[in-house]
């Protein structure tokens, strides 16, 4: 049985197949609307979420299936001290597939070891978020026509931002991409991303603290929120939270066909005046996320 815990659990070719399937679902929804009849997804969310949980649920409903689950640790038996291993053994009896978000790095992976059903990592602490990456790849491909030869700027909280880690890991497999890593010194990308992902593959990257310096070079700008919930103290968060704010004025420094992505939620890092710029791709990114999740559910259930 397959799971999606890490973005590399699907090969580059399989990832392209998922993106293609998502496009077919978008164009021919009626072909798929009964595929998951009588199937259930369990969404186990031990951390807050709007998009990810609801897009999994919308995805399953679009496929003719249904949804069970919980949206906070407090409303599950975790509050009574149940282990993730026991929870997943129980959920395996009720559902056909599950998406798990957890504040602890590795929790969905641990669940997969005890699970009788496919487990999807819907975000584990500051570690990985592979289905957001599918949404990101889909958006980049739709906007740029390709996942190759792109200069990709990632800006903000590169240390705790799990979407950043997963996107770098995944898109590094397409040739000719380079990265500009834009962050305050304290929020630089973790060493393992540099030493285990970028350097071994000889991928070009540079680190800078200046968004203005990076902007003119970029094909993609991936903005992120400073991850308040991962900070040890509030003072550091308050000091760093507004490190980068993308404004209409700054957008004048960027290429005409750059695409701005953001996994959302946004706090202050993109001024709302940027929303009407044709380069703003973050709301279509949300929609793309639903279709890629439909494709993923079908693949993991061997229905496509
Ligand atoms: C992201 C996450 O949960 O990591 N949100 C999402 O799933 N779209 C980004 C964030 O919370 O900043």
């Amino acid at each position: 049985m397959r799971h999606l815990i890490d973005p590399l659990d699907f090969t580059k070719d399989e990832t392209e197949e998922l993106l293609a399937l998502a496009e077919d679902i978008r164009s021919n929804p009626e072909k798929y609307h009964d595929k998951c009849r009588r199937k259930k997804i369990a969404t186990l969310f031990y951390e807050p979420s709007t998009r990810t949980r609801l897009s999994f649920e919308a995805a399953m409903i679009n496929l003719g299936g249904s949804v069970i689950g919980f949206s906070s640790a407090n409303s599950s038996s975790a509050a009574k001290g149940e282990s993730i291993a026991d929870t997943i053994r129980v959920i395996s009896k009720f559902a056909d597939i599950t998406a798990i978000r957890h504040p602890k790095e590795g929790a969905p992976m641990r669940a997969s070891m005890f699970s009788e059903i496919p487990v999807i990592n819907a975000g584990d602490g500051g570690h990985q978020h592979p289905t957001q990456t599918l949404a990101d790849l889909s958006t980049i491909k739709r906007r740029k026509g390709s996942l190759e030869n792109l200069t990709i700027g990632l800006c903000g909280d590169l240390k705790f931002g799990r979407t950043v880690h997963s996107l770098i890991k995944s898109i590094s497999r397409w040739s000719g991409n380079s990265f500009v890593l834009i962050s305050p010194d304290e929020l630089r990308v973790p060493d393992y991303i540099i030493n285990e992902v970028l350097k071994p593959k000889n991928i070009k990257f540079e680190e800078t603290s200046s968004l203005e310096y990076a902007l003119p070079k970029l094909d993609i700008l991936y903005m992120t929120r400073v991850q308040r919930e991962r900070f040890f103290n509030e003072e550091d968060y308050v000091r760093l939270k507004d490190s980068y704010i993308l404004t209409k004025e700054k957008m004048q420094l960027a290429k005409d066909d750059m695409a701005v992505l953001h996994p959302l939620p946004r706090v202050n890092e993109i001024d709302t005046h940027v929303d009407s710029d044709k380069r703003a791709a973050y709301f279509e990114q949300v929609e793309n996320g639903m279709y890629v999740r439909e494709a993923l559910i079908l693949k993991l259930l061997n229905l496509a």
Side-chain angles (χ1 to χ4, degrees):
M1 192 193 349
R2 290 190 78 174
H3 308 283
L4 176 60
I5 305 299
D6 183 279
L8 305 188
D9 289 345
F10 279 71
T11 64
K12 180 184 161 199
D13 286 351
E14 288 172 327
T15 304
E16 298 225 14
E17 277 166 34
L18 274 181
L19 299 180
L21 177 58
E23 290 305 328
D24 196 52
I25 296 170
R26 182 197 310 265
S27 311
N28 306 292
E30 67 296 336
K31 218 167 107 183
Y32 296 92
H33 71 193
D34 225 14
K35 287 266 186 196
C36 285
R37 195 154 50 93
R38 287 201 293 275
K39 301 279 185 207
K40 280 176 255 143
I41 189 166
T43 51
L44 313 186
F45 276 61
Y46 296 83
E47 265 196 341
S49 167
T50 302
R51 266 151 300 277
T52 305
R53 185 171 62 85
L54 295 183
S55 76
F56 270 115
E57 300 190 356
M60 190 47 138
I61 290 165
N62 287 346
L63 295 169
S66 47
V67 175
I68 56 174
F70 52 81
S71 55
S72 79
N74 291 340
S75 63
S76 79
S77 280
K80 300 182 189 168
E82 186 170 65
S83 69
I84 188 98
D86 281 0
T87 301
I88 196 67
R89 286 186 178 109
V90 170
I91 297 297
S92 294
K93 305 296 178 204
F94 302 145
D96 302 280
I97 186 166
T98 184
I100 304 179
R101 168 168 290 186
H102 202 286
K104 279 204 188 122
E105 286 83 2
M109 152 81 105
R110 181 152 178 82
S112 72
M113 293 160 58
F114 296 90
S115 182
E116 294 167 27
I117 58 176
V119 174
I120 301 168
N121 177 6
D124 62 327
H127 189 217
Q128 301 292 332
H129 193 347
T131 64
Q132 180 63 47
T133 297
L134 293 173
D136 302 341
L137 295 176
S138 164
T139 307
I140 294 171
K141 182 144 197 201
R142 288 174 68 82
R143 280 276 176 149
K144 307 302 294 180
S146 162
L147 295 172
E148 294 181 346
N149 301 320
L150 299 167
T151 302
I152 302 162
L154 298 117
C155 177
D157 188 346
L158 309 188
K159 179 179 181 187
F160 296 117
R162 55 195 175 195
T163 65
V164 168
H165 310 154
S166 288
L167 179 57
I168 295 176
K169 263 183 123 170
S170 187
I171 204 167
S172 291
R173 296 176 293 177
W174 279 265
S175 65
N177 292 327
S178 62
F179 297 96
V180 186
L181 305 171
I182 310 151
S183 73
D185 197 46
E186 287 155 281
L187 299 179
R188 287 174 50 207
V189 89
D191 287 345
Y192 83 89
I193 295 285
I194 292 183
N195 296 326
E196 292 167 31
V197 182
L198 298 174
K199 284 193 174 159
K201 290 183 159 165
N202 277 323
I203 291 167
K204 259 181 43 193
F205 72 94
E206 59 180 319
E207 295 185 274
T208 175
S209 58
S210 168
L211 176 58
E212 289 81 353
Y213 159 79
L215 264 169
K217 317 177 180 212
L218 305 178
D219 300 307
I220 302 292
L221 172 60
Y222 194 92
M223 294 296 294
T224 62
R225 169 181 74 90
V226 175
Q227 306 278 298
R228 179 182 203 160
E229 64 275 38
R230 316 260 177 248
F231 277 70
F232 291 110
N233 71 67
E234 182 73 6
E235 276 159 46
D236 288 342
Y237 168 72
V238 169
R239 185 165 49 77
L240 292 166
K241 71 182 168 71
D242 290 329
S243 299
Y244 301 100
I245 301 178
L246 184 65
T247 58
K248 269 176 97 160
E249 292 67 41
K250 287 184 196 153
M251 285 296 282
Q252 290 176 7
L253 299 169
K255 292 183 189 169
D256 257 1
D257 62 349
M258 186 184 79
V260 183
L261 277 70
H262 190 309
L264 304 179
R266 136 175 81 183
V267 184
N268 267 335
E269 55 282 348
I270 304 180
D271 188 280
T272 52
H273 290 103
V274 177
D275 299 356
S276 54
D277 189 305
K278 69 175 181 10
R279 292 167 289 185
Y282 29 94
F283 290 113
E284 66 195 49
Q285 197 177 349
V286 176
E287 186 183 5
N288 299 339
M290 182 181 72
Y291 292 118
V292 295
R293 289 184 175 99
E294 289 186 43
L296 177 65
I297 290 169
L298 290 176
K299 270 276 184 262
L300 289 176
L301 290 177
N302 294 318
L303 295 170

